Amino acid sequence: MMESRWFLVALVITFLTSCTSVAVKDKLTCEKPVVNSYSSKSDNLKVAIYVDGSGSMLGYVKDGKTNYVKALNAIRNVFELTGKLPVEYYRNGNPNQKITGSEYYSYTAVPVFYDGSNAKFKGVSSPIDAAIIAPAKDENKMTVIVTDLEQNSGDVTKLNKKIQDAYFNEDRKNYAVGIWAIKSEFNGSVYVQELNTLKTFAYNSGNQSEKFRPFYILFLGPYNDIQYYFDQLQKFDSQQLMANSNLIIFYPEKIIQNISTLEILPVSIPKLVTRPISLVKDRVSVTKDNTPSELLQIDNRQKESFTIDYSVPFSPAQYSLFIDTDKNSITSKVEVEKFDQFDKKFKAVNSSDINSIIKLQNWKIIDKNQLSFSSLIEPSKFPNPGVYKFKFDIFTQRLQAPIWWKEWDWQARSDDQDGSKTHNLEEFLIGLKNRTETLQTGKSNKSEGNNWLIGRFCYGIQKN
């Protein structure tokens, strides 16, 4: 009797083992593409600093050591002392006037540099584009321009085109455009070009920071150098300029630090969906490897579509524009494989139905470092039960304009005597943003690579 009982137990174990036997053991892998890493600054960088010497800049220096004067000192210090670089200095005019480092230190902080009262520094207009001179073929050059962006005739399109032709183009893929936007105390005349009329009005900000007048320092040069010296400006900001500043870099080759993956999985999933250690069906066992991914098992009673909400780490490149998450800005490319129990391997499958089983949607950036989205899964679209692998590559082709562009622009003025705004600022910066997008989407290899890859999400799904 005892022997019969043990025989029965052995028979059950053998039966269960034979029913769940595994012929193939497989891994769900999700290798993360590497983003171009940051490299050090150039050893042979040539630096030229141009300071707008026109009368529209006079108000920045009338009241002593303003933010404007502090910023002039800061850029000299980071290039000459931190970078230990030889720097050429110019008074931006027509033609540009070369000055010494001592003259830069002594005169750019006082009215005589701007008011045209001194024979050494005659009155000039504002040909900002005259400071933009293309570097030689194998030359690493940084052009720094200090200006209020009141370009002659208010033509920022001309300025943008000159930047594109000289620096921001496919022939100089390592070059970028950096902007240090700063609000400063101001007491003087504000110049505004409207249509064919140049208007001026007196403006005094006093010490009220909300009334400070913006000015801009443009950095045209290798991306790595702009990022390095932006870091140095922040590191040594003993004068607290950054409290009234915005730093931004336009550079199509790097908008994120790392590709987003499914590193954090949501706790909440539907009742008839489980997250097993492995998927076992049709004599295949699939487990995760050490790369972030998602394993889901869908009960055959789950007929209706369901949604799982994710929030994953997002790492924008420092000083870069954020990605645009508005409708149609983010797209995905999916690759699907199904285990073939006869060939005993995963094989690619491709059809409109199977490619739309999972839809990734509702994209949002949360607190600048989290990317949230929803996965809509439709069980009815699986052609038959089995084990499937899905790999999604997530792309964006548009970047987001920061709110301060609009807030600092002349169109946001409280009245026609509001000197805290810059004429045509938003148009100028939108032009640089559009150029950044165009350089990416206009690449010669017409593929998804023309857009920015920002995420890779991998799913293993067992449909019972």
Side-chain angles (χ1 to χ4, degrees):
M1 186 73 173
M2 183 67 69
E3 290 178 359
S4 297
R5 185 179 300 169
W6 282 113
F7 176 79
L8 182 60
V9 170
L11 185 63
V12 170
I13 293 173
T14 302
F15 174 77
L16 291 174
T17 305
S18 65
C19 288
T20 58
S21 62
V22 171
V24 176
K25 292 184 178 181
D26 198 86
K27 296 280 189 182
L28 178 62
T29 61
C30 197
E31 294 183 5
K32 182 167 68 172
V34 177
V35 177
N36 290 336
S37 61
Y38 169 73
S39 59
S40 60
K41 64 184 178 69
S42 303
D43 293 328
N44 57 344
L45 186 69
K46 294 182 178 179
V47 180
I49 297 178
Y50 293 79
V51 181
D52 186 344
S54 65
S56 67
M57 307 295 288
L58 180 58
Y60 293 112
V61 298
K62 276 189 175 180
D63 291 338
K65 198 170 184 181
T66 60
N67 283 348
Y68 175 82
V69 175
K70 293 174 184 177
L72 291 178
N73 292 337
I75 57 175
R76 185 189 186 203
N77 286 339
V78 296
F79 286 120
E80 287 197 6
L81 300 182
T82 304
K84 296 180 172 57
L85 296 171
V87 181
E88 292 184 345
Y89 297 95
Y90 296 88
R91 183 174 185 250
N92 185 207
N94 195 7
N96 293 313
Q97 178 183 354
K98 190 170 185 178
I99 59 176
T100 66
S102 295
E103 288 172 330
Y104 171 90
Y105 181 79
S106 300
Y107 289 106
T108 57
V110 295
V112 71
F113 192 81
Y114 309 95
D115 62 16
S117 65
N118 188 298
K120 184 178 182 62
F121 302 113
K122 296 178 181 179
V124 292
S125 57
S126 304
I128 306 170
D129 56 287
I132 302 171
I133 302 170
K137 183 178 180 181
D138 298 320
E139 180 182 44
N140 284 329
K141 180 182 179 182
M142 179 83 77
T143 297
V144 181
I145 305 171
V146 182
T147 176
D148 58 359
L149 280 181
E150 295 299 342
Q151 168 77 348
N152 283 351
S153 302
D155 190 358
V156 293
T157 301
K158 179 181 178 182
L159 178 59
N160 255 321
K161 186 177 187 307
K162 190 72 178 290
I163 291 173
Q164 293 176 19
D165 291 345
Y167 286 91
F168 209 27
N169 53 60
E170 289 187 355
D171 293 333
R172 301 187 185 280
K173 291 187 177 181
N174 66 322
Y175 273 67
V177 178
I179 307 283
W180 183 15
I182 313 160
K183 285 192 171 184
S184 175
E185 302 86 345
F186 187 91
N187 181 11
S189 295
V190 174
Y191 294 69
V192 178
Q193 182 83 34
E194 291 187 339
L195 299 177
N196 295 321
T197 305
L198 181 64
K199 299 180 179 180
T200 66
F201 60 88
Y203 184 74
N204 189 345
S205 69
N207 291 318
Q208 301 176 64
S209 59
E210 68 275 11
K211 292 186 176 181
F212 284 0
R213 177 160 176 75
F215 69 98
Y216 307 88
I217 304 181
L218 281 56
F219 294 74
L220 313 176
Y223 169 78
N224 293 335
D225 292 296
I226 296 176
Q227 183 174 21
Y228 174 82
Y229 288 106
F230 274 14
D231 288 346
Q232 298 309 307
L233 286 167
Q234 294 210 91
K235 183 177 180 181
F236 298 107
D237 184 31
S238 59
Q239 298 174 320
Q240 299 182 330
L241 285 167
M242 296 304 159
N244 292 286
S245 296
N246 287 293
L247 291 162
I248 195 163
I249 299 178
F250 299 89
Y251 183 60
E253 299 297 321
K254 187 171 184 180
I255 65 166
I256 57 173
Q257 297 280 16
N258 292 296
I259 302 294
S260 293
T261 58
L262 297 176
E263 294 178 35
I264 301 174
L265 299 178
V267 174
S268 178
I269 56 176
K271 290 183 179 179
L272 295 177
V273 179
T274 57
R275 188 178 282 135
I277 296 175
S278 62
L279 308 178
V280 182
K281 190 175 181 63
D282 296 337
R283 303 192 71 194
V284 65
S285 171
V286 176
T287 56
K288 290 188 189 182
D289 66 0
N290 59 357
T291 57
S293 56
E294 173 79 291
L295 290 182
L296 297 173
Q297 180 174 279
I298 302 176
D299 192 286
N300 59 7
R301 293 171 293 170
Q302 179 71 46
K303 306 296 185 183
E304 301 298 320
S305 61
F306 60 89
T307 298
I308 301 177
D309 296 324
Y310 293 84
S311 183
V312 300
F314 177 69
S315 303
Q318 194 172 20
Y319 313 117
S320 173
L321 292 176
F322 271 26
I323 63 171
D324 191 341
T325 57
D326 285 347
K327 187 177 181 180
N328 301 325
S329 296
I330 294 184
T331 59
S332 61
K333 175 188 175 184
V334 61
E335 295 177 3
V336 186
E337 294 180 324
K338 183 182 184 299
F339 184 74
D340 189 314
Q341 58 182 315
F342 299 106
D343 289 343
K344 297 181 181 179
K345 65 180 181 180
F346 278 91
K347 298 172 69 174
V349 290
N350 186 16
S351 71
S352 58
D353 279 345
I354 205 164
N355 288 348
S356 62
I357 289 174
I358 304 177
K359 294 179 182 176
L360 306 184
Q361 56 192 21
N362 302 328
W363 301 94
K364 292 180 182 177
I365 298 292
I366 302 173
D367 295 332
K368 298 184 179 181
N369 59 8
Q370 293 287 317
L371 177 63
S372 71
F373 65 97
S374 300
S375 290
L376 174 64
I377 301 177
E378 300 185 72
S380 62
K381 287 191 174 181
F382 282 96
N384 44 56
V387 178
Y388 296 78
K389 292 180 181 180
F390 294 80
K391 183 180 79 172
F392 289 88
D393 278 349
I394 313 303
F395 298 92
T396 186
Q397 59 182 345
R398 294 214 315 250
L399 301 173
Q400 195 178 124
I403 189 66
W404 68 266
W405 292 8
K406 191 176 290 292
E407 292 175 343
W408 290 25
D409 187 79
W410 179 244
Q411 296 303 317
R413 65 192 183 278
S414 57
D415 55 57
D416 286 343
Q417 307 290 306
D418 186 356
S420 70
K421 311 301 180 185
T422 301
H423 193 245
N424 285 338
L425 172 68
E426 188 177 20
E427 181 184 345
F428 173 65
L429 295 175
I430 289 291
L432 291 173
K433 180 185 83 74
N434 291 345
R435 179 62 172 176
T436 306
E437 294 167 345
T438 300
L439 284 172
Q440 182 69 12
T441 59
K443 288 180 177 177
S444 56
N445 54 319
K446 301 296 181 182
S447 67
E448 286 84 3
N450 291 40
N451 299 330
W452 287 287
L453 175 65
I454 60 170
R456 174 166 288 177
F457 305 137
C458 299
Y459 292 80
I461 295 184
Q462 178 179 325
K463 176 65 174 69
N464 291 331

